PDB file of all heavy atoms in Angstrom:
ATOM      1  N   ALA A   3     -36.801  -2.636  -9.455  1.00 97.00           N
ATOM      2  CA  ALA A   3     -35.675  -3.587  -9.445  1.00 97.00           C
ATOM      3  C   ALA A   3     -34.513  -3.057  -8.615  1.00 97.00           C
ATOM      4  O   ALA A   3     -33.890  -3.811  -7.842  1.00 97.00           O
ATOM      5  CB  ALA A   3     -35.229  -3.863 -10.881  1.00 97.00           C
ATOM      6  N   VAL A   4     -34.213  -1.769  -8.740  1.00 98.00           N
ATOM      7  CA  VAL A   4     -33.105  -1.184  -7.969  1.00 98.00           C
ATOM      8  C   VAL A   4     -33.471  -1.115  -6.486  1.00 98.00           C
ATOM      9  O   VAL A   4     -32.631  -1.379  -5.608  1.00 98.00           O
ATOM     10  CB  VAL A   4     -32.757   0.208  -8.524  1.00 98.00           C
ATOM     11  CG1 VAL A   4     -31.681   0.880  -7.671  1.00 98.00           C
ATOM     12  CG2 VAL A   4     -32.279   0.102  -9.972  1.00 98.00           C
ATOM     13  N   LEU A   5     -34.724  -0.781  -6.182  1.00 98.00           N
ATOM     14  CA  LEU A   5     -35.157  -0.733  -4.781  1.00 98.00           C
ATOM     15  C   LEU A   5     -35.125  -2.101  -4.122  1.00 98.00           C
ATOM     16  O   LEU A   5     -34.862  -2.218  -2.917  1.00 98.00           O
ATOM     17  CB  LEU A   5     -36.568  -0.147  -4.704  1.00 98.00           C
ATOM     18  CG  LEU A   5     -36.678   1.368  -4.856  1.00 98.00           C
ATOM     19  CD1 LEU A   5     -38.120   1.773  -5.098  1.00 98.00           C
ATOM     20  CD2 LEU A   5     -36.118   2.082  -3.627  1.00 98.00           C
ATOM     21  N   ALA A   6     -35.423  -3.140  -4.893  1.00 98.00           N
ATOM     22  CA  ALA A   6     -35.368  -4.493  -4.333  1.00 98.00           C
ATOM     23  C   ALA A   6     -33.966  -4.792  -3.802  1.00 98.00           C
ATOM     24  O   ALA A   6     -33.805  -5.410  -2.730  1.00 98.00           O
ATOM     25  CB  ALA A   6     -35.769  -5.514  -5.397  1.00 98.00           C
ATOM     26  N   GLU A   7     -32.957  -4.316  -4.521  1.00 97.00           N
ATOM     27  CA  GLU A   7     -31.592  -4.513  -4.049  1.00 97.00           C
ATOM     28  C   GLU A   7     -31.309  -3.652  -2.823  1.00 97.00           C
ATOM     29  O   GLU A   7     -30.657  -4.105  -1.861  1.00 97.00           O
ATOM     30  CB  GLU A   7     -30.603  -4.178  -5.179  1.00 97.00           C
ATOM     31  CG  GLU A   7     -29.135  -4.341  -4.824  1.00 97.00           C
ATOM     32  CD  GLU A   7     -28.748  -5.778  -4.468  1.00 97.00           C
ATOM     33  OE1 GLU A   7     -29.552  -6.707  -4.717  1.00 97.00           O
ATOM     34  OE2 GLU A   7     -27.642  -5.968  -3.921  1.00 97.00           O
ATOM     35  N   ALA A   8     -31.801  -2.423  -2.791  1.00 98.00           N
ATOM     36  CA  ALA A   8     -31.610  -1.561  -1.624  1.00 98.00           C
ATOM     37  C   ALA A   8     -32.222  -2.187  -0.376  1.00 98.00           C
ATOM     38  O   ALA A   8     -31.623  -2.160   0.707  1.00 98.00           O
ATOM     39  CB  ALA A   8     -32.236  -0.187  -1.890  1.00 98.00           C
ATOM     40  N   LEU A   9     -33.428  -2.784  -0.529  1.00 98.00           N
ATOM     41  CA  LEU A   9     -34.095  -3.390   0.625  1.00 98.00           C
ATOM     42  C   LEU A   9     -33.471  -4.723   1.007  1.00 98.00           C
ATOM     43  O   LEU A   9     -33.561  -5.143   2.164  1.00 98.00           O
ATOM     44  CB  LEU A   9     -35.589  -3.549   0.309  1.00 98.00           C
ATOM     45  CG  LEU A   9     -36.355  -2.224   0.202  1.00 98.00           C
ATOM     46  CD1 LEU A   9     -37.772  -2.448  -0.307  1.00 98.00           C
ATOM     47  CD2 LEU A   9     -36.381  -1.503   1.541  1.00 98.00           C
ATOM     48  N   ARG A  10     -32.842  -5.395   0.059  1.00 97.00           N
ATOM     49  CA  ARG A  10     -32.092  -6.609   0.417  1.00 97.00           C
ATOM     50  C   ARG A  10     -30.902  -6.231   1.293  1.00 97.00           C
ATOM     51  O   ARG A  10     -30.584  -6.914   2.279  1.00 97.00           O
ATOM     52  CB  ARG A  10     -31.600  -7.318  -0.846  1.00 97.00           C
ATOM     53  CG  ARG A  10     -30.872  -8.648  -0.578  1.00 97.00           C
ATOM     54  CD  ARG A  10     -30.184  -9.179  -1.810  1.00 97.00           C
ATOM     55  NE  ARG A  10     -29.051  -8.369  -2.218  1.00 97.00           N
ATOM     56  CZ  ARG A  10     -27.853  -8.408  -1.632  1.00 97.00           C
ATOM     57  NH1 ARG A  10     -27.641  -9.212  -0.593  1.00 97.00           N
ATOM     58  NH2 ARG A  10     -26.868  -7.653  -2.073  1.00 97.00           N
ATOM     59  N   LEU A  11     -30.250  -5.122   0.945  1.00 97.00           N
ATOM     60  CA  LEU A  11     -29.091  -4.679   1.714  1.00 97.00           C
ATOM     61  C   LEU A  11     -29.502  -4.093   3.062  1.00 97.00           C
ATOM     62  O   LEU A  11     -28.781  -4.215   4.052  1.00 97.00           O
ATOM     63  CB  LEU A  11     -28.333  -3.616   0.909  1.00 97.00           C
ATOM     64  CG  LEU A  11     -27.661  -4.106  -0.383  1.00 97.00           C
ATOM     65  CD1 LEU A  11     -27.227  -2.922  -1.244  1.00 97.00           C
ATOM     66  CD2 LEU A  11     -26.463  -4.992  -0.053  1.00 97.00           C
ATOM     67  N   ARG A  12     -30.687  -3.418   3.078  1.00 98.00           N
ATOM     68  CA  ARG A  12     -31.143  -2.787   4.323  1.00 98.00           C
ATOM     69  C   ARG A  12     -32.647  -3.030   4.475  1.00 98.00           C
ATOM     70  O   ARG A  12     -33.468  -2.201   4.085  1.00 98.00           O
ATOM     71  CB  ARG A  12     -30.846  -1.292   4.309  1.00 98.00           C
ATOM     72  CG  ARG A  12     -31.002  -0.640   5.697  1.00 98.00           C
ATOM     73  CD  ARG A  12     -30.985   0.876   5.620  1.00 98.00           C
ATOM     74  NE  ARG A  12     -29.822   1.428   4.983  1.00 98.00           N
ATOM     75  CZ  ARG A  12     -29.663   2.719   4.686  1.00 98.00           C
ATOM     76  NH1 ARG A  12     -30.636   3.582   4.978  1.00 98.00           N
ATOM     77  NH2 ARG A  12     -28.577   3.155   4.088  1.00 98.00           N
ATOM     78  N   PRO A  13     -33.045  -4.156   5.056  1.00 97.00           N
ATOM     79  CA  PRO A  13     -34.478  -4.504   5.137  1.00 97.00           C
ATOM     80  C   PRO A  13     -35.323  -3.495   5.907  1.00 97.00           C
ATOM     81  O   PRO A  13     -36.517  -3.358   5.637  1.00 97.00           O
ATOM     82  CB  PRO A  13     -34.459  -5.861   5.844  1.00 97.00           C
ATOM     83  CG  PRO A  13     -33.102  -6.415   5.570  1.00 97.00           C
ATOM     84  CD  PRO A  13     -32.182  -5.237   5.547  1.00 97.00           C
ATOM     85  N   ALA A  14     -34.714  -2.779   6.847  1.00 97.00           N
ATOM     86  CA  ALA A  14     -35.472  -1.813   7.651  1.00 97.00           C
ATOM     87  C   ALA A  14     -35.345  -0.396   7.096  1.00 97.00           C
ATOM     88  O   ALA A  14     -35.377   0.580   7.850  1.00 97.00           O
ATOM     89  CB  ALA A  14     -34.996  -1.848   9.105  1.00 97.00           C
ATOM     90  N   PHE A  15     -35.231  -0.274   5.781  1.00 97.00           N
ATOM     91  CA  PHE A  15     -35.041   1.003   5.106  1.00 97.00           C
ATOM     92  C   PHE A  15     -36.421   1.636   4.865  1.00 97.00           C
ATOM     93  O   PHE A  15     -37.125   1.321   3.908  1.00 97.00           O
ATOM     94  CB  PHE A  15     -34.311   0.755   3.783  1.00 97.00           C
ATOM     95  CG  PHE A  15     -33.722   1.979   3.133  1.00 97.00           C
ATOM     96  CD1 PHE A  15     -32.901   1.849   2.028  1.00 97.00           C
ATOM     97  CD2 PHE A  15     -33.963   3.263   3.618  1.00 97.00           C
ATOM     98  CE1 PHE A  15     -32.339   2.953   1.403  1.00 97.00           C
ATOM     99  CE2 PHE A  15     -33.405   4.375   3.010  1.00 97.00           C
ATOM    100  CZ  PHE A  15     -32.586   4.213   1.898  1.00 97.00           C
ATOM    101  N   VAL A  16     -36.822   2.552   5.759  1.00 96.00           N
ATOM    102  CA  VAL A  16     -38.169   3.119   5.714  1.00 96.00           C
ATOM    103  C   VAL A  16     -38.411   3.858   4.397  1.00 96.00           C
ATOM    104  O   VAL A  16     -39.438   3.663   3.735  1.00 96.00           O
ATOM    105  CB  VAL A  16     -38.396   4.067   6.912  1.00 96.00           C
ATOM    106  CG1 VAL A  16     -39.742   4.780   6.778  1.00 96.00           C
ATOM    107  CG2 VAL A  16     -38.339   3.280   8.221  1.00 96.00           C
ATOM    108  N   LEU A  17     -37.487   4.725   4.015  1.00 95.00           N
ATOM    109  CA  LEU A  17     -37.659   5.466   2.769  1.00 95.00           C
ATOM    110  C   LEU A  17     -37.702   4.532   1.561  1.00 95.00           C
ATOM    111  O   LEU A  17     -38.426   4.774   0.590  1.00 95.00           O
ATOM    112  CB  LEU A  17     -36.524   6.480   2.590  1.00 95.00           C
ATOM    113  CG  LEU A  17     -36.523   7.667   3.543  1.00 95.00           C
ATOM    114  CD1 LEU A  17     -35.310   8.570   3.295  1.00 95.00           C
ATOM    115  CD2 LEU A  17     -37.809   8.476   3.402  1.00 95.00           C
ATOM    116  N   GLY A  18     -36.942   3.436   1.633  1.00 97.00           N
ATOM    117  CA  GLY A  18     -36.951   2.460   0.546  1.00 97.00           C
ATOM    118  C   GLY A  18     -38.304   1.789   0.407  1.00 97.00           C
ATOM    119  O   GLY A  18     -38.820   1.631  -0.706  1.00 97.00           O
ATOM    120  N   HIS A  19     -38.910   1.390   1.518  1.00 97.00           N
ATOM    121  CA  HIS A  19     -40.255   0.787   1.477  1.00 97.00           C
ATOM    122  C   HIS A  19     -41.281   1.798   0.958  1.00 97.00           C
ATOM    123  O   HIS A  19     -42.195   1.439   0.210  1.00 97.00           O
ATOM    124  CB  HIS A  19     -40.649   0.300   2.864  1.00 97.00           C
ATOM    125  CG  HIS A  19     -39.958  -0.963   3.282  1.00 97.00           C
ATOM    126  ND1 HIS A  19     -40.186  -2.180   2.665  1.00 97.00           N
ATOM    127  CD2 HIS A  19     -39.037  -1.194   4.259  1.00 97.00           C
ATOM    128  CE1 HIS A  19     -39.441  -3.117   3.246  1.00 97.00           C
ATOM    129  NE2 HIS A  19     -38.726  -2.537   4.215  1.00 97.00           N
ATOM    130  N   ASN A  20     -41.116   3.049   1.374  1.00 96.00           N
ATOM    131  CA  ASN A  20     -42.048   4.090   0.959  1.00 96.00           C
ATOM    132  C   ASN A  20     -42.010   4.302  -0.557  1.00 96.00           C
ATOM    133  O   ASN A  20     -43.052   4.320  -1.231  1.00 96.00           O
ATOM    134  CB  ASN A  20     -41.696   5.391   1.686  1.00 96.00           C
ATOM    135  CG  ASN A  20     -42.771   6.440   1.556  1.00 96.00           C
ATOM    136  OD1 ASN A  20     -43.953   6.125   1.547  1.00 96.00           O
ATOM    137  ND2 ASN A  20     -42.358   7.683   1.452  1.00 96.00           N
ATOM    138  N   LEU A  21     -40.804   4.446  -1.107  1.00 97.00           N
ATOM    139  CA  LEU A  21     -40.670   4.649  -2.546  1.00 97.00           C
ATOM    140  C   LEU A  21     -41.090   3.404  -3.323  1.00 97.00           C
ATOM    141  O   LEU A  21     -41.704   3.499  -4.396  1.00 97.00           O
ATOM    142  CB  LEU A  21     -39.236   5.036  -2.893  1.00 97.00           C
ATOM    143  CG  LEU A  21     -38.965   5.349  -4.372  1.00 97.00           C
ATOM    144  CD1 LEU A  21     -39.865   6.471  -4.876  1.00 97.00           C
ATOM    145  CD2 LEU A  21     -37.487   5.730  -4.579  1.00 97.00           C
ATOM    146  N   MET A  22     -40.782   2.230  -2.766  1.00 97.00           N
ATOM    147  CA  MET A  22     -41.203   0.986  -3.417  1.00 97.00           C
ATOM    148  C   MET A  22     -42.726   0.945  -3.529  1.00 97.00           C
ATOM    149  O   MET A  22     -43.276   0.531  -4.565  1.00 97.00           O
ATOM    150  CB  MET A  22     -40.703  -0.225  -2.617  1.00 97.00           C
ATOM    151  CG  MET A  22     -41.098  -1.570  -3.226  1.00 97.00           C
ATOM    152  SD  MET A  22     -40.256  -1.943  -4.774  1.00 97.00           S
ATOM    153  CE  MET A  22     -38.908  -2.967  -4.156  1.00 97.00           C
ATOM    154  N   ALA A  23     -43.417   1.392  -2.504  1.00 96.00           N
ATOM    155  CA  ALA A  23     -44.885   1.403  -2.536  1.00 96.00           C
ATOM    156  C   ALA A  23     -45.395   2.316  -3.652  1.00 96.00           C
ATOM    157  O   ALA A  23     -46.332   1.966  -4.380  1.00 96.00           O
ATOM    158  CB  ALA A  23     -45.435   1.860  -1.182  1.00 96.00           C
ATOM    159  N   ILE A  24     -44.783   3.482  -3.787  1.00 94.00           N
ATOM    160  CA  ILE A  24     -45.218   4.418  -4.838  1.00 94.00           C
ATOM    161  C   ILE A  24     -45.005   3.810  -6.216  1.00 94.00           C
ATOM    162  O   ILE A  24     -45.900   3.835  -7.077  1.00 94.00           O
ATOM    163  CB  ILE A  24     -44.455   5.746  -4.719  1.00 94.00           C
ATOM    164  CG1 ILE A  24     -44.744   6.423  -3.385  1.00 94.00           C
ATOM    165  CG2 ILE A  24     -44.819   6.679  -5.864  1.00 94.00           C
ATOM    166  CD1 ILE A  24     -43.862   7.619  -3.104  1.00 94.00           C
ATOM    167  N   ALA A  25     -43.809   3.248  -6.430  1.00 95.00           N
ATOM    168  CA  ALA A  25     -43.491   2.682  -7.745  1.00 95.00           C
ATOM    169  C   ALA A  25     -44.395   1.499  -8.068  1.00 95.00           C
ATOM    170  O   ALA A  25     -44.888   1.364  -9.202  1.00 95.00           O
ATOM    171  CB  ALA A  25     -42.024   2.272  -7.784  1.00 95.00           C
ATOM    172  N   LEU A  26     -44.641   0.634  -7.097  1.00 95.00           N
ATOM    173  CA  LEU A  26     -45.510  -0.527  -7.335  1.00 95.00           C
ATOM    174  C   LEU A  26     -46.945  -0.101  -7.613  1.00 95.00           C
ATOM    175  O   LEU A  26     -47.630  -0.706  -8.448  1.00 95.00           O
ATOM    176  CB  LEU A  26     -45.458  -1.465  -6.124  1.00 95.00           C
ATOM    177  CG  LEU A  26     -44.177  -2.288  -5.969  1.00 95.00           C
ATOM    178  CD1 LEU A  26     -44.151  -2.953  -4.590  1.00 95.00           C
ATOM    179  CD2 LEU A  26     -44.058  -3.346  -7.067  1.00 95.00           C
ATOM    180  N   SER A  27     -47.400   0.938  -6.920  1.00 91.00           N
ATOM    181  CA  SER A  27     -48.772   1.394  -7.166  1.00 91.00           C
ATOM    182  C   SER A  27     -48.918   1.909  -8.588  1.00 91.00           C
ATOM    183  O   SER A  27     -49.955   1.718  -9.231  1.00 91.00           O
ATOM    184  CB  SER A  27     -49.162   2.482  -6.157  1.00 91.00           C
ATOM    185  OG  SER A  27     -48.453   3.684  -6.397  1.00 91.00           O
ATOM    186  N   GLU A  28     -47.887   2.565  -9.093  1.00 87.00           N
ATOM    187  CA  GLU A  28     -47.938   3.064 -10.471  1.00 87.00           C
ATOM    188  C   GLU A  28     -47.911   1.929 -11.489  1.00 87.00           C
ATOM    189  O   GLU A  28     -48.378   2.100 -12.627  1.00 87.00           O
ATOM    190  CB  GLU A  28     -46.784   4.040 -10.710  1.00 87.00           C
ATOM    191  CG  GLU A  28     -46.966   5.342  -9.939  1.00 87.00           C
ATOM    192  CD  GLU A  28     -45.749   6.237  -9.976  1.00 87.00           C
ATOM    193  OE1 GLU A  28     -44.703   5.793 -10.514  1.00 87.00           O
ATOM    194  OE2 GLU A  28     -45.845   7.370  -9.483  1.00 87.00           O
ATOM    195  N   LEU A  29     -47.382   0.790 -11.092  1.00 89.00           N
ATOM    196  CA  LEU A  29     -47.375  -0.372 -11.971  1.00 89.00           C
ATOM    197  C   LEU A  29     -48.637  -1.216 -11.810  1.00 89.00           C
ATOM    198  O   LEU A  29     -48.777  -2.253 -12.461  1.00 89.00           O
ATOM    199  CB  LEU A  29     -46.137  -1.236 -11.684  1.00 89.00           C
ATOM    200  CG  LEU A  29     -44.789  -0.568 -12.001  1.00 89.00           C
ATOM    201  CD1 LEU A  29     -43.641  -1.431 -11.506  1.00 89.00           C
ATOM    202  CD2 LEU A  29     -44.648  -0.304 -13.498  1.00 89.00           C
ATOM    203  N   GLY A  30     -49.533  -0.790 -10.920  1.00 86.00           N
ATOM    204  CA  GLY A  30     -50.813  -1.467 -10.759  1.00 86.00           C
ATOM    205  C   GLY A  30     -50.824  -2.560  -9.713  1.00 86.00           C
ATOM    206  O   GLY A  30     -51.834  -3.248  -9.548  1.00 86.00           O
ATOM    207  N   ASP A  31     -49.731  -2.745  -8.981  1.00 91.00           N
ATOM    208  CA  ASP A  31     -49.671  -3.809  -7.964  1.00 91.00           C
ATOM    209  C   ASP A  31     -50.030  -3.209  -6.603  1.00 91.00           C
ATOM    210  O   ASP A  31     -49.171  -2.963  -5.754  1.00 91.00           O
ATOM    211  CB  ASP A  31     -48.274  -4.431  -7.942  1.00 91.00           C
ATOM    212  CG  ASP A  31     -48.229  -5.742  -7.168  1.00 91.00           C
ATOM    213  OD1 ASP A  31     -49.186  -6.005  -6.399  1.00 91.00           O
ATOM    214  OD2 ASP A  31     -47.262  -6.495  -7.326  1.00 91.00           O
TER     215      ASP A  31
END
């Protein structure tokens, strides 16, 4: 949820996309 806001503010945030991928994978998505 917090990363979604970070990526809304900065869509080209590479580290944000990377961490979002890790967190989503742990949630099974």
Side-chain angles (χ1 to χ4, degrees):
V4 176
L5 283 166
E7 180 63 12
L9 292 172
R10 183 191 69 78
L11 293 167
R12 193 192 304 173
F15 195 172
V16 174
L17 290 178
H19 285 293
N20 192 36
L21 183 57
M22 180 69 96
I24 298 171
L26 286 169
S27 70
E28 291 171 354
L29 295 172
D31 194 344

